[in-house]
Structures are given as C-alpha cells and as structure tokens.
Amino acid sequence: MPLHVVDHPLIQHKMSILRHKDTGPKEFRELVEEIAMLMAYEATRNFPLEPVDVETPLETTRMRAFLGKKVAVIPILRAGLGMVNGILQLIPAAKVGHVGIYRDHDTLKPVDYYSKFPEDLAERDVLLLDPMLATGGSASAAIEFLKSKGARSEAIKFVCLVAAPEGVRRIDETDNVVDIYTAALDRCLNSFGYIMPGLGDAGDRMFGTR
C-alpha cells in the first residue's frame, strides 16, 4: 500500500498552527481548507496529461493539459467537508459526492448513514477526504462502499491531514492498492481511539461543537 507523507514546509507550518489547542473554529476551518489544497498538489501528481495546442498572443505552442480527466471528490461526513473547497479551488470541474460514516464512540466501529455519488463513479479518479485517519474503520468502510458502487481501487486516493499507524495498517489490510496521502504520521492511538499527539476531534474543532 503506497503511503505518502507530504512534508512540504508550508504544510508543516500550517499543521503546527492547526494542532494548537488555542486555534479557534474559524482559523481551524481556514487552515484545513488551505492544507487540503496544498495536499491536492501531491495527490494529483500522477494524473496523466495530454498534448494540446495553445494559441498565445504571439504564436501557437504545444502544451500539456488534462483532457477529459474525470475526478470525484468524496468527503467523509462531517469533518471531510472542510477539505472540499480547498480541493475544488484546484479542480473546479470535479464532481462532489458524499459518504456519511461515523465512528461509534463506545464500540469504535463505523456506522454508515448517508451516501450520494456521481453516476459515472467507475470512470472517475476519486479523492476520498477525511482530516483524520485514526482506527481506519470509517476510511476502510468508505473505500469498500465506493468499490461496491464501481470505483476502482487504483483510482482511489485517501487524503487526510493526520494519520495513526493503526489506521494505515487497517487500510492496507482492506485494500493494499489505495494510495494514502497525509501531512503527518503520528505516534499511536490512545485508549479512547484518539490520535496522539493528534489535534483533537477535527469535526468538533471545525464546527465549534462538542
């Protein structure tokens, strides 16, 4: 399973602010969006380009561009929503689906409650978004759900901000073809299933809830 830890200085600087306990919801949301946009540069690095002729003010030149490339951006509700706008700033033509899966705090098992995807999901490259990869239960369930709707393993890229080794292993056991892109690979999970050192509950910090 390909794991990509994106250690660009801008991302790491913003992550240091994102993690801080005194960062409020407004700044937290802005940082998540900004980091997601920067992460998208790496997640799309291998997207193929095709030659295209472009007429500049002076002459025609041969360039490379996405031609007919289909992308689906799929946030895992609710925290994944905070990453969507950052990605769409780079890929405005992408279609957006949603998958609602939450982790039961008692059992730590994923529970799905909502989904809606582009009809041509099988033809698209999929960016599956969630700020946190903790136990990996929700991410693995979402990956299997996407595949049941026609998505190809090799076309799915899971993009997160913080990952725990346990979650990485879980995805590897579920499907070792799916790429994982993260800004940080943290130490471990605590007894409550939270990433250490982590950044707390991303959804609560993003939306000001508890």
Side-chain angles (χ1 to χ4, degrees):
M1 170 220 51
L3 172 66
H4 311 269
V5 180
V6 185
D7 60 355
H8 190 283
L10 279 176
I11 291 178
Q12 296 308 311
H13 169 72
K14 291 177 184 294
M15 284 293 297
S16 70
I17 305 171
L18 187 76
R19 286 185 190 267
H20 201 286
K21 65 182 180 64
D22 293 332
T23 298
K26 178 180 181 295
E27 189 176 11
F28 193 93
R29 286 192 299 270
E30 292 170 348
L31 286 164
V32 168
E33 184 173 318
E34 291 168 1
I35 296 169
M37 180 170 62
L38 294 170
M39 295 284 293
Y41 280 101
E42 288 301 316
T44 59
R45 178 178 290 276
N46 295 324
F47 278 15
L49 296 171
E50 298 180 40
V52 58
D53 290 329
V54 174
E55 184 119 6
T56 79
L58 300 176
E59 64 179 11
T60 300
T61 186
R62 178 58 61 93
M63 299 295 295
R64 297 187 302 157
F66 295 138
L67 294 180
K69 188 67 176 176
K70 294 182 176 182
V71 179
V73 177
I74 312 286
I76 297 178
L77 303 178
R78 63 186 165 130
L81 288 171
M83 301 174 68
V84 173
N85 284 341
I87 305 287
L88 291 181
Q89 287 185 55
L90 292 181
I91 318 172
K95 288 190 175 179
V96 180
H98 299 86
V99 57
I101 295 176
Y102 68 89
R103 183 177 58 166
D104 185 285
H105 285 289
D106 294 324
T107 66
L108 301 183
K109 301 288 187 181
V111 179
D112 61 275
Y113 62 92
Y114 178 82
S115 66
K116 190 151 193 173
F117 305 123
E119 292 182 357
D120 58 350
L121 190 64
E123 302 171 20
R124 293 182 176 271
D125 282 271
V126 177
L127 299 179
L128 181 61
L129 312 177
D130 196 341
M132 313 293 286
L133 176 58
T135 64
S138 295
S140 296
I143 289 168
E144 289 304 297
F145 200 35
L146 287 170
K147 287 161 58 178
S148 74
K149 300 298 182 181
R152 297 164 288 117
S153 295
E154 63 273 16
I156 300 173
K157 299 179 188 296
F158 182 80
V159 184
C160 62
L161 306 187
V162 179
E166 293 90 336
V168 172
R169 286 195 295 270
R170 178 71 174 271
I171 289 184
D172 186 41
E173 292 166 0
T174 301
D175 191 323
N176 61 10
V177 175
V178 172
D179 284 87
I180 300 174
Y181 290 82
T182 183
L185 181 62
D186 279 11
R187 187 174 71 252
C188 64
L189 298 178
N190 67 12
S191 59
F192 299 102
Y194 282 95
I195 300 174
M196 301 297 290
L199 47 77
D201 187 301
D204 284 348
R205 295 194 65 186
M206 193 178 303
F207 299 115
T209 55
R210 292 196 174 195

